[in-house]
Amino acid sequence: MSTAPTRISTDDDSTPGPFGALRHLSGAGRRAFAGAFGGYGLDAFDYQVLPLTLSAITVYFRISAGQAGLLNAVTLVVSALGGLLAGIMADRIGRTRTLMITIGTYALFTLLCGLAPNFGLLITFRALQGLGFGGEWAVGAVLVAEYASPRYRGRVAALIQSSWAVGWAAAVIVYTVVFDLVSPAVGWRIMFMTGALPALFVLYLRRKVTDAPRTRKADRARGSFLAIMRGGLGRTTFFAALLATGVQGGYYTLGTWLPLYLHTARHLNVVNTGGYLAFLISGAFVGYLFGGVLTDKIGRKANFAIFAVAAAVLLVAYSLVPAGANELLLVLGFPLGFAYSAIFSGFGAYLAELYPAELRGTGQGFTYNFGRAVGASFPAAVGFMANTFGIGGAMAFGALGYAIALVALLGLPETRGRQLR
């Protein structure tokens, strides 16, 4: 039996900026937004611990650059499984309950990484951390997308995405303080142990956040992986996964190797590395917000295309800055962070709009995290290419990801303004 869709947000004739869009959420919608924003920000904090401490871990366990790249790649590969499982669970047991499970999972295994006595256990715990890491964003994005109105959905989803920059900034601050006070051999363990803090956020979710009202179809159709692979949805899933692969391949290339590049190739100390990253992160935060407004105004596909080109050009330019011109790296940091983050602003709304309610979590969880897993080959490849081209030269390889994203857009529809039932 079908029912009329429930009105879960309000519209008027105004056109608010990125923050004004929150006024168009109901009270329950704002609480859901707070839950998704906090969960993804903490997700970012836990993820960024590894890139920031990679130099110390490499020395501590005496591993090669290739092994260091695999340490990060395994997180992203396993995140594909985590995203698929979390998506199916979100469609079957609910968005909020699944969100609590994903946050608890990545918090637990991030803590265990800090206690790992050898490289084998470290890479095992990091892989298991990927199960929670892979599921959190997709579930939170679906939860809020179902509360938001079509007119402002891109902006609200982009605000959630911006919490990645907030969590990243928090990780850089903690890293700067910890590594200034203790030796790197101890500091990397302390950084991972702080990853247990997100577990406390589960208490807020349990008490305050509920799923949006929505029409459900028969249970046998909900949360089915095979269903998103059949017919027209199969085509959508293929190209959406390809889009996510390209965008995240480029993103994780820079995110994984930049701290090590600044430390080893540019010879910056901990404090100076934090300063350079501050420019990049500031650009990222502004980029998320601007991209959210733009994706609502000009459409999802146009936003992806514009910033795919911009991010590719800036990434290559950044990698080609000559030795002794560190000031130019500082200047390029803001626009690079802006472009390679603004392209993500449309993902939360776009992937939700591509799938029906009973398959929305599964579709979004799989496509986004498939992109993470395959995109993980990019930073892993850079690790091995660095022996020949240096880390800076090898990072330019990430521009290929944005070319792949442009190709993927050719097979996807525009969804701006689409109602979510």
Side-chain angles (χ1 to χ4, degrees):
M1 181 177 69
S2 63
T3 60
T6 304
R7 184 172 177 80
I8 53 180
S9 58
T10 59
D11 277 319
D12 59 28
D13 293 330
S14 64
T15 305
F19 296 103
L22 296 179
R23 295 196 302 269
H24 295 266
L25 290 174
S26 64
R30 292 192 189 102
R31 290 191 294 273
F33 172 84
F37 186 95
Y40 193 50
L42 293 168
D43 195 8
F45 181 96
D46 277 12
Y47 173 79
Q48 292 294 341
V49 165
L50 178 60
L52 289 168
T53 60
L54 199 55
S55 178
I57 291 171
T58 299
V59 173
Y60 186 88
F61 288 114
R62 300 178 181 177
I63 58 176
S64 67
Q67 288 175 302
L70 289 174
L71 182 59
N72 183 73
V74 72
T75 309
L76 302 179
V77 170
V78 176
S79 75
L81 176 61
L84 174 61
L85 293 176
I88 293 173
M89 289 170 60
D91 287 334
R92 289 181 177 271
I93 68 173
R95 314 325 192 192
T96 304
R97 290 164 66 185
T98 304
L99 193 61
M100 290 189 287
I101 293 171
T102 60
I103 292 174
T105 299
Y106 73 66
L108 171 63
F109 287 107
T110 301
L111 169 65
L112 292 177
C113 284
L115 302 175
N118 54 59
F119 180 70
L121 278 176
L122 176 62
I123 200 170
T124 299
F125 291 145
R126 187 66 180 179
L128 293 172
Q129 188 256 11
L131 290 174
F133 170 71
E136 194 284 331
W137 175 83
V139 176
V142 169
L143 172 66
V144 178
E146 290 174 334
Y147 274 107
S149 68
R151 185 173 183 178
Y152 305 120
R153 188 177 296 125
R155 272 164 274 198
V156 173
L159 277 171
I160 296 173
Q161 201 84 44
S162 74
S163 67
W164 182 271
V166 175
W168 187 5
V172 170
I173 292 171
V174 174
Y175 160 77
T176 303
V177 172
V178 169
F179 274 65
D180 191 51
L181 295 176
V182 301
S183 69
V186 176
W188 75 265
R189 292 189 181 276
I190 294 175
M191 287 291 294
F192 275 104
M193 289 178 186
T194 60
L197 296 177
L200 300 176
F201 191 67
V202 172
L203 299 177
Y204 170 82
L205 294 173
R206 184 174 182 180
R207 295 182 59 185
K208 299 291 186 180
V209 180
T210 58
D211 289 0
R214 64 191 185 280
T215 301
R216 293 180 179 269
K217 294 186 179 180
D219 285 349
R220 65 178 179 276
R222 297 206 329 262
S224 169
F225 174 66
L226 293 178
I228 66 170
M229 295 297 180
R230 298 189 184 113
L233 274 186
R235 173 187 168 88
T236 296
T237 297
F238 173 79
F239 283 105
L242 189 64
L243 174 66
T245 296
V247 173
Q248 296 192 87
Y251 180 88
Y252 285 113
T253 295
L254 188 67
T256 299
W257 290 107
L258 184 59
L260 187 62
Y261 169 67
L262 293 175
H263 180 66
T264 59
R266 294 292 175 167
H267 309 294
L268 300 179
N269 60 29
V270 170
V271 175
N272 287 336
T273 296
Y276 275 67
L277 290 176
F279 274 80
L280 190 77
I281 295 169
S282 299
F285 183 74
V286 177
Y288 285 129
L289 301 184
F290 181 84
V293 174
L294 196 65
T295 196
D296 277 340
K297 287 183 174 294
I298 68 173
R300 316 312 191 205
K301 293 177 66 174
N303 186 75
F304 281 117
I306 290 170
F307 290 111
V309 173
V313 171
L314 287 165
L315 178 56
V316 172
Y318 196 90
S319 68
L320 294 178
V321 171
N326 285 354
E327 296 81 6
L328 185 55
L329 288 180
L330 195 66
V331 172
L332 284 175
F334 187 93
L336 177 60
F338 181 96
Y340 97 141
S341 297
I343 194 172
F344 278 91
S345 297
F347 264 123
Y350 192 46
L351 295 181
E353 290 162 351
L354 288 174
Y355 292 93
E358 66 275 9
L359 297 171
R360 192 166 293 138
T362 306
Q364 186 150 338
F366 172 75
T367 54
Y368 192 80
N369 288 288
F370 178 90
R372 271 179 172 167
V374 181
S377 64
F378 283 72
V382 169
F384 290 102
M385 293 168 63
N387 295 327
T388 302
F389 301 102
I391 295 177
M395 283 198 306
F397 176 72
L400 176 63
Y402 297 111
I404 293 172
L406 289 171
V407 173
L409 289 173
L410 299 176
L412 290 168
E414 177 57 57
T415 61
R416 181 168 65 117
R418 181 172 293 181
Q419 294 282 350
L420 296 187
R421 295 181 62 87

